[in-house]
Structure formats: C-alpha cells, structure tokens
Amino acid sequence: VSQSRYLAYNNSTQTLQLSGNLIANSIQMGAGSFEWSTTQVFFATTSSTSARQVLFSIPAADVSAVDFEIIATDNTGGSRQSCRLSSLYYNESVEYNEYASLFVNGGVGNFEVIYSAGDIINPAMVKLAVTPSTAHLTTYKMLITVYAP
C-alpha cells in the first residue's frame, strides 16, 4: 500500500482512493475490452443563424451512443438554454431525444444529433448540430459522454 494524506493506492486490490476533489477534463470508465464510456468537457461558439452548425463530431465507428449536457448562453440577447440529449447510433442510423430542457428569455436554438455518411476520404460521423435563434455570439458549454461501440 502506497499512500499520502490524500491519496492511497493498494496494489493487491488495485484500488485508488482519493480524499478531496478530482479535477479532469476527460474521464474514461473501463479499459481495453471492458471500455464503457469517456466523458469530456467541450466548448463551442456560434455567431450566425445558419442551420445545422456542427458543435461536436466523432467518427461513427467509435460510438454506440452519445449523451450531451449543454448550457448555451447568448450574453448580448440575455438568453440561456440548458438541455440534455441522448443519442443512439447503429448501422448508419442515429436516433436522439432531447429532454430536461430549460429556457431563460426564449433560449438560444434548436439542437439535433445527425449522421453523416462520409465519403472515400472522410469517415462516417455522428454530429451534434444547432440552428441558433440569433446571430449574437453564443457559447455552448458541454459535458459529452461517448459510449464505446
């Protein structure tokens, strides 16, 4: 057993104990053939009302599902929106559901999860897109959980 005041590792049980806060931008659950998911912090911005602006994308071969927790803010327009989307990918199809949505002063846009087939050069992708309600600079703070295929 190796330990300090706030951190202890037991080699025989392969257990790491932490007393205090763990601060990370990405956390993976499971490893190798037991990999389950990776959760990461991600940020994006928009500044136009163009439809289906991609905020996040990942090769379809790397996922079975993706969950998004989003807080979007338009400081100029004084609006904010939070929402959660769960998506499921299988065999060139994506299904998604938006839930737990809250809006302050009308929100900032409409979100969707889409599948892009790719081509001979680019791989097929699963993408989070937004159609913003305004051309104001809008920031998107996201917690994204990608589930292994």
Side-chain angles (χ1 to χ4, degrees):
V1 176
S2 174
Q3 67 182 43
S4 71
R5 182 174 176 192
Y6 301 105
L7 183 69
Y9 180 74
N10 185 319
N11 197 39
S12 63
T13 63
Q14 296 180 337
T15 303
L16 177 67
Q17 292 180 316
L18 175 69
S19 299
N21 297 325
L22 173 63
I23 301 171
N25 287 333
S26 180
I27 298 173
Q28 180 176 313
M29 298 301 295
S33 62
F34 295 105
E35 182 181 348
W36 174 249
S37 67
T38 301
T39 300
Q40 63 184 334
V41 175
F42 197 81
F43 293 82
T45 60
T46 59
S47 58
S48 79
T49 56
S50 297
R52 288 186 156 183
Q53 294 182 53
V54 175
L55 301 176
F56 176 83
S57 63
I58 188 166
D62 295 345
V63 306
S64 62
V66 185
D67 290 338
F68 302 92
E69 294 184 42
I70 305 163
I71 298 175
T73 306
D74 169 5
N75 283 321
T76 303
S79 61
R80 178 171 281 161
Q81 178 176 344
S82 70
C83 68
R84 294 181 179 190
L85 291 98
S86 284
S87 68
L88 184 64
Y89 166 75
Y90 185 70
N91 199 23
E92 300 181 0
S93 294
V94 170
E95 295 293 332
Y96 73 96
N97 184 31
E98 181 177 336
Y99 64 99
S101 298
L102 297 171
F103 306 90
V104 173
N105 296 327
V108 302
N110 295 311
F111 297 95
E112 58 185 315
V113 181
I114 54 179
Y115 171 77
S116 175
D119 55 37
I120 197 164
I121 298 170
N122 301 300
M125 304 292 281
V126 173
K127 301 177 180 184
L128 172 67
V130 65
T131 300
S133 303
T134 179
H136 298 150
L137 179 66
T138 302
T139 59
Y140 304 86
K141 296 179 181 180
M142 297 174 275
L143 185 65
I144 301 170
T145 301
V146 176
Y147 296 90

